[in-house]
Amino acid sequence: MYVHFDGYPDSKLPLLLSAYQYRFAGDLEAMARYLIDDVQHGWDELGTDLLDGAPAALRRSLTKGDEWPSRQMTDVVSADGTPAERELITQDGIDGLEWAYVLHPHGIEVIALQEYDRGPVVPWDTDPRSRINANPAAWPPSSRAPVVAPRTTRRPSTTASATQPAPRKTARR
C-alpha cells in the first residue's frame, strides 16, 4: 500500500515494529487488515496512533513527544476526473518509489527499490529504538539488515567494589 510521506526505514520501521508489538499485540493479520485491506487508496502518512499501547517511554523515545494521526488519502481522482480505483503497489509499478515493506510472519522485509528487488528481513521482536541505516546501499538482500540494537543501561553491580574491602564475617563460637 502506498504511503506518501517519509517512507525511509529509519522513520517507518520503528512505527511498524511498535505497531506489531503493541497496538496489534503480534497479530499480523489484524495489522495487515488495518494497513492494507481497510485502506481505500493509500496513506498520506502513518502516525503515532500506531504506537497505541506502547510504553510511554518508548513513545517519547520514538517521537520526542510529538503526536500526529495516521491519515489516509482522500478525494483521489483519475486524470479524467472520475473517482480513482484502488491501486496496490507491485514489483511492476514501483516507478519513483524508493522503499517497500513486506509483512512476513517472521518479520518485515525492507526493500531499497532503486537498488534491489528483495531485501533483508527485520525480525518482529527487534527493538523499535534500534539505530537504523537509511542508506539504500546498506540493504542488500543477502546481508543482515543494517539495524543496531540500542545500548541498554547497565544495572549497578551488586558485588563489592574492588576499592572497598569486603565486610568481614564474625566468627561464631
Side-chain angles (χ1 to χ4, degrees), residues 5-157:
F5 185 70
D6 191 18
Y8 291 95
D10 55 340
S11 68
K12 289 299 165 265
L13 204 48
L15 282 176
L16 294 170
L17 291 168
S18 296
Y20 177 83
Q21 294 171 14
Y22 298 100
R23 178 173 179 167
F24 298 103
D27 186 342
L28 186 58
E29 287 184 31
M31 183 173 170
R33 203 170 27 257
Y34 177 80
L35 291 172
I36 301 166
D37 299 339
D38 295 345
V39 179
Q40 189 171 1
H41 295 288
W43 293 97
D44 272 329
E45 74 177 307
L46 298 177
T48 56
D49 54 300
L50 290 177
L51 301 175
D52 288 354
L58 175 62
R59 283 182 86 98
R60 280 190 308 277
S61 172
L62 297 180
T63 67
K64 311 296 185 260
D66 292 339
E67 296 285 327
W68 64 93
S70 294
R71 294 180 297 126
Q72 289 190 34
M73 296 175 145
T74 57
D75 300 324
V76 179
V77 294
S78 299
D80 65 3
T82 60
E85 292 184 24
R86 179 183 165 119
E87 183 178 349
L88 291 177
I89 305 301
T90 65
Q91 190 66 27
D92 298 328
I94 61 167
D95 295 336
L97 299 178
E98 296 180 59
W99 295 96
Y101 302 90
V102 181
L103 309 180
H104 295 283
H106 55 285
I108 184 164
E109 182 179 3
V110 181
I111 307 170
L113 293 170
Q114 303 303 313
E115 303 278 334
Y116 311 103
D117 60 354
R118 302 285 309 168
V121 174
V122 177
W124 286 118
D125 64 352
T126 300
D127 189 324
R129 298 169 301 143
S130 297
R131 195 172 66 244
I132 299 166
N133 188 330
N135 179 349
W139 291 87
S142 59
S143 69
R144 281 182 42 129
V147 175
V148 178
R151 290 186 178 155
T152 56
T153 308
R154 291 186 125 183
R155 292 183 181 185
S157 174

